[in-house]
């Protein structure tokens, strides 16, 4: 046996020992072979972003002492302050706030909004409805402590049916009260396309031509390191995200970031800690090594997740399912939607992903009534960091059109296995009509 065949046989046997049938294995080989060009492109992006992060760390003279962290008030926390400088260099912004005290992505976004808006101001979303959890932050759904309660109003301009910006509508909804514009990069759990950095740049330019002093904030969740440029390279005043997604590289155990204009970041710091204290306090505790190392790994971890998403698109598109984005479409985030048109498909998919997890693989996920959702939802997650969605994960609401949203995988190899496991689960449960051998 030559070396290639030998390795192929070893892999085949290993997949078999993890429950993958020969038919599913071979189909996976075929789909992967069709993706070589796209994978090369992703590797090039990862290479560029890896060096961008490395250069920032070297330019900021990150030293061993930076990895240690502080307790108590956290005065003179050089590790924390240097990390914030590293983020600012990578995003090409004046300043950044990167803290374990920012509890999640929603918190980072809420903080950026409420600290930069004042009573009487108006917030505009020119890209349609924002992420679910922001509805309560803004007060679209009544909630204690919402922007609405503080006298901050909200307007929304939906995307056109073809996904384009409604420039006319946006112009008509920028008023003298408009103080901040929020732009969500990722489609999140909607079916609209994710915005490329180029398109975000066009939108920001249009808005600033009408009103130069408006603050443009981008919800950057799931978008970091997918392209060579970030929204802050095309005019965004603030980019905001979660450390248990792309920029945490799978290692950050908690946290969020806001990178942007100095005054905007300062406002956020005064709100996060206290007026007068701002960035000067906030002990980093034991998080710094993971924050640095995770950020260092983030470009390649994101690349693995992207490959997994494209592989999932290839696998399911090839079997006749609707996938968003399509296998050959350009990508601007790491989320992959697959539509099954029946509940059994959604459930079997998520159970397969769970069976592929390094943690809790023996657990069977069930649909449940999750707070804030209007239908049952099933979730698959067996992550090292609870709820981390840069790790292999999937979820789907049990309602038409019965779509699942898949994302993450700390390595391409794991994402690949997870997708094959989801397909095997569909085959074993006879949850969908498929002719794997025939494609
Ligand atoms: C995940 C996400 C959020 C919220 O982040 P949490 O950490 O879940 O609070 C906001 N916007 C988008 C687009 C997201 O993907």
């Amino acid at each position: 046996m030559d070396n290639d065949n030998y390795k192929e046989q070893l892999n085949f046997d290993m997949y078999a020992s993890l429950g993958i049938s020969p038919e599913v294995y071979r189909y996976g080989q075929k789909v992967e072979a069709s993706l070589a060009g796209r994978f090369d492109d992703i590797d090039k992006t990862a290479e560029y972003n890896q060096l961008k992060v490395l250069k920032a760390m070297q330019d900021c003279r990150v030293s061993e002492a930076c990895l240690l962290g502080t307790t108590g008030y956290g005065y003179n926390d050089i590790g924390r302050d240097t990390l914030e400088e590293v983020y600012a260099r990578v995003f090409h912004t004046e300043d950044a706030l990167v803290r374990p005290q920012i509890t999640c992505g929603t918190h980072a976004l809420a903080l950026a909004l409420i600290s930069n808006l004042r009573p009487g101001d108006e917030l505009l979303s020119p890209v349609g409805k924002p992420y679910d959890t922001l509805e309560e932050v803004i007060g679209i759904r009544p909630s204690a402590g919402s922007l609405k309660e503080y006298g901050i109003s909200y307007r929304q301009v939906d995307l056109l049916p073809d996904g384009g910006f409604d420039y006319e509508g946006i112009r008509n909804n920028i008023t003298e009260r408009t103080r901040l514009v929020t732009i969500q990069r990722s489609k999140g759990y909607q079916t609209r396309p994710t915005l490329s950095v180029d398109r975000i740049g066009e939108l920001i330019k249009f808005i600033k031509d009408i009103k130069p002093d408006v603050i443009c904030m981008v919800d950057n969740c799931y978008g970091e390191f997918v392209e060579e440029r970030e929204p802050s390279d095309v005019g965004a005043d603030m980019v905001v995200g979660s450390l248990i997604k792309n920029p945490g590289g799978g290692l950050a155990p908690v946290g969020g970031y806001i990178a942007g204009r100095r005054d905007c970041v300062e406002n956020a710091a005064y709100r996060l800690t206290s007026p007068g204290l701002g960035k000067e306090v906030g002990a980093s505790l034991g998080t710094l090594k993971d924050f640095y190392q995770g950020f260092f790994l983030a470009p390649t971890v994101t690349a693995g997740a992207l490959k997994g998403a494209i592989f999932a698109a290839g696998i399911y598109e090839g079997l006749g399912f609707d996938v968003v984005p399509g296998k050959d479409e350009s990508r601007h985030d790491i989320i992959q939607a697959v539509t099954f048109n029946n509940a059994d498909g959604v459930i079997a998919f998520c159970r397969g992903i769970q069976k592929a997890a390094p943690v809790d693989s023996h657990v069977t996920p069930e649909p449940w009534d999750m707070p804030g959702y209007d239908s049952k939802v099933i979730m698959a997650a067996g992550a090292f960091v609870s709820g981390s969605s840069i790790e292999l994960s999937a979820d789907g609401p049990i309602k038409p059109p019965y779509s699942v949203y898949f994302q993450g995988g700390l390595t391409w190899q794991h994402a690949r296995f997870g997708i094959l496991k989801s397909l095997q689960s569909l085959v074993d449960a006879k949850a969908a009509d498929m002719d794997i051998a025939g494609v």
Side-chain angles (χ1 to χ4, degrees), residues 70-355:
T70 56
T71 57
Y73 293 102
Y75 292 132
N76 304 314
D77 189 326
I78 63 152
R80 177 196 67 206
D81 295 348
T82 305
L83 178 71
E84 291 179 337
E85 216 184 306
V86 169
Y87 264 68
R89 295 224 180 190
V90 165
F91 287 104
H92 302 123
T93 55
E94 291 173 358
D95 204 353
L97 190 65
V98 186
R99 303 282 170 127
Q101 287 84 8
I102 301 177
T103 57
C104 60
T106 304
H107 185 192
L109 289 158
L111 179 63
L113 289 173
I114 204 154
S115 63
N116 281 288
L117 289 160
R118 295 291 177 272
D121 286 346
E122 189 158 84
L123 169 67
L124 171 69
S125 171
V127 296
K129 190 183 92 59
Y131 197 73
D132 258 14
T133 54
L134 286 189
E135 291 187 15
E136 284 175 274
V137 171
I138 295 167
I140 300 171
R141 278 185 281 146
S143 179
S146 69
L147 297 178
K148 192 171 177 194
E149 276 198 347
Y150 285 89
I152 296 156
S153 56
Y154 171 71
R155 289 190 194 214
Q156 175 177 316
V157 178
D158 290 336
L159 294 173
L160 297 172
D162 68 356
F165 299 127
D166 177 4
Y167 284 116
E168 177 78 18
I170 295 169
R171 183 188 298 281
N172 293 336
N173 281 282
I174 295 177
T175 69
E176 69 277 14
R177 288 177 55 208
T178 311
R179 170 97 185 110
L180 201 153
V181 170
T182 179
I183 300 167
Q184 185 178 310
R185 178 173 177 179
S186 164
K187 65 186 170 303
Y189 300 130
Q190 297 172 55
T191 44
R192 73 150 163 100
T194 286
L195 301 177
S196 66
V197 171
D198 263 346
R199 288 192 69 208
I200 291 172
E202 282 163 29
L203 179 58
I204 292 175
K205 179 166 186 317
F206 178 78
I207 290 163
K208 295 240 175 189
D209 280 347
I210 297 168
K211 193 167 186 191
D213 64 347
V214 80
I215 299 170
C216 290
M217 178 188 95
V218 173
D219 174 351
N220 211 21
C221 283
Y222 288 131
E224 298 92 349
F225 299 125
V226 171
E227 299 183 35
E228 283 78 357
R229 292 184 309 164
E230 299 291 338
S232 41
D233 291 315
V234 294
D237 299 295
M238 279 191 285
V239 286
V240 182
S242 162
L243 298 197
I244 64 168
K245 293 179 181 170
N246 307 15
L251 292 185
V254 67
Y257 77 91
I258 299 171
R261 236 165 61 186
R262 192 173 308 285
D263 59 320
C264 295
V265 172
E266 236 162 40
N267 280 338
Y270 287 130
R271 179 78 197 203
L272 175 66
T273 65
S274 154
L277 299 181
K279 292 185 80 183
E280 304 298 317
V281 296
S284 51
L285 305 171
T287 57
L288 285 174
K289 187 202 147 259
D290 288 339
F291 280 10
Y292 278 103
Q293 197 175 356
F295 199 49
F296 182 73
L297 293 176
T300 48
V301 170
T302 302
L306 261 178
K307 289 179 184 175
I310 293 175
F311 184 66
I315 288 280
Y316 285 102
E317 191 175 287
L319 293 168
F321 297 98
D322 280 338
V323 298
V324 179
K327 161 177 169 269
D328 299 317
E329 263 178 75
S330 68
R331 301 233 155 205
H332 309 289
D333 69 12
I334 63 167
I335 301 176
Q336 180 62 47
V338 184
T339 297
F340 289 106
N341 295 312
N342 69 62
D344 288 349
V346 172
I347 294 168
F349 182 99
C350 288
R351 288 187 174 160
I353 295 294
Q354 187 75 36
K355 281 190 194 145

